[in-house]
Amino acid sequence: GARIGYHPPMHLSVLLAVVLPSLTRPHSMKPITMEPQKPLSVSAEDFIKVRCNTTGADTYFTWEGSVYSFAPDQKQIQMFDFVGMTVARCIQIDGDWWLLSRELSYFLDPDTGAKLNKWANPFTNETVTVMHVSNDPVNNPVSDGVPSQNLGNSQMAMILDVPLYYPNPLASNATLYQYSPHPYYQAGEFFKFYYNANELSAATTSVENVTISWTRLAPWMPWMKMGTLPGSLLFSCGGSRVRDLSNLPDWVRTELVERVPLYLNAPTVLEEPNETTWTFFAKHFQQYLNGDEFPLLSH
C-alpha cells in the first residue's frame, strides 16, 4: 500500500523579503528578511492516535455523502447517495506502524435512501447489478510527516492527498475490459481529519473527537458497465470517528450482523495485496453476472 506520510506541496509561494524604497529608507535600515515557514506535519504516532489508537483495539469511522457523474459537456447528475464504515487496527511490525483495516460502503437510491441491488443506468439505459464496496484488506504503512494545517482556536486538520495511478487489472482481460477498458487506473482520494490540538497533546492512546471529509475522483465503477463512455465519478462525503456503529442506518447494522460480520472487526495480521473495487470485480465477476446480492456473505 501507499505509505501515509509527508508529501511536499506542488506549489508554495514564500515571501522572501520586504524592502522599503531607497529614497525613503535610512541608509542604516537593512532589508527585512522572512524565513520560509516549514510545512506543519505530525508524527506517525500522533496520526495513529487520531486515526485509530496505539493499543491495537478496533476503531470505527462512518461516513455518508453523495456520488456525482462528471461527463464531458453534460450536466452533472447525482447518481447515488453513499453510506459506509471502516474498522481499523493500528499495530507495530518490526518497529514500524501499520494501519490494518476493512471498509464497507453502499450505493443508495438518492431519492429514497434505499440500498440498490439493481440500477438503471441513465447513460446506457441498461439495468445492472450493483456491486457495493467491500474491501478486505486495506492495509498501509504509516510514517512520520503527515501534513497538517492549523485552523485556529486549537483546531487542526491532518491532510492526506492520495493520487492513484497504476495498471488497470481489468484492461488486459478479454472479458472484463469492456467494463473498464483504460490501461491505467487513474483516481485520487483526498482526506482531512479534523481534531483538537489540546486533545491530541493530552491523549495517551487515542483522540476520540475526530471528524472527517473525504473526496474521491474515480473512473466509472466497473459494475456500471460504461465501457469507453468518457467521464468519471466524484464522491463527496463527511463522517466521524465513532465508539460504535449505532449512528448507521438500522438496515446497515442488520447487514453487518447477518451478512458481513467480518467487517465488525479489523484484521489482526498484515496480509497483502490490498483489495480494491477493481480486483473484487474480477474475482466475483460470475456472481455479478448471476445477479447475486452484494456485499457477498462474509463471515
Side-chain angles (χ1 to χ4, degrees), residues 90-274:
C90 291
I91 63 173
Q92 285 188 297
I93 302 174
D94 297 329
D96 294 324
W97 281 106
W98 279 81
L99 174 71
L100 312 182
S101 69
R102 298 182 171 105
E103 58 187 27
L104 185 70
S105 293
Y106 292 89
F107 295 92
L108 312 179
D109 185 310
D111 295 322
T112 67
K115 174 189 174 185
L116 289 168
N117 293 318
K118 301 291 182 182
W119 176 66
N121 188 327
F123 291 95
T124 65
N125 295 317
E126 183 175 356
T127 297
V128 296
T129 298
V130 177
M131 185 178 281
H132 301 284
V133 178
S134 52
N135 291 337
D136 170 39
V138 182
N139 300 330
N140 289 286
V142 180
S143 61
D144 291 334
V146 178
S148 65
Q149 181 179 6
N150 187 340
L151 304 178
N153 297 320
S154 299
Q155 297 303 304
M156 301 290 293
M158 290 185 188
I159 303 168
L160 288 180
D161 291 345
V162 187
L164 299 166
Y165 185 75
Y166 52 80
N168 178 359
L170 306 183
S172 60
N173 185 298
T175 302
L176 301 178
Y177 84 95
Q178 62 181 308
Y179 295 87
S180 183
H182 302 290
Y184 284 85
Y185 175 83
Q186 185 174 15
E189 303 209 28
F190 308 95
F191 302 87
K192 288 183 175 64
F193 294 82
Y194 300 99
Y195 63 97
N196 184 283
N198 296 327
E199 186 177 357
L200 175 59
S201 63
T204 56
T205 61
S206 64
V207 175
E208 297 301 319
N209 298 300
V210 183
T211 57
I212 60 171
S213 69
W214 171 60
T215 304
R216 180 189 187 196
L217 181 65
W220 308 121
M221 298 289 103
W223 56 263
M224 294 169 67
K225 199 178 179 182
M226 296 287 276
T228 58
L229 288 174
S232 58
L233 294 175
L234 180 71
F235 294 70
S236 176
C237 297
S240 63
R241 179 177 181 143
V242 294
R243 292 182 180 273
D244 54 44
L245 300 175
S246 59
N247 68 317
L248 287 172
D250 291 343
W251 66 265
V252 177
R253 297 201 305 273
T254 299
E255 289 240 336
L256 278 162
V257 172
E258 296 182 358
R259 293 184 56 81
V260 284
L262 178 69
Y263 289 81
L264 291 171
N265 300 105
T268 56
V269 296
L270 176 62
E271 294 181 357
E272 296 181 296
N274 284 339

Side-chain angles (χ1 to χ4, degrees), residues 67-69 77-81 108 110 119 122-123 220 224 233:
V67 184
Y68 299 91
S69 67
I77 300 173
Q78 183 182 352
M79 307 282 273
F80 312 102
D81 278 349
L108 312 179
W119 176 66
F123 291 95
W220 308 121
M224 294 169 67
L233 294 175

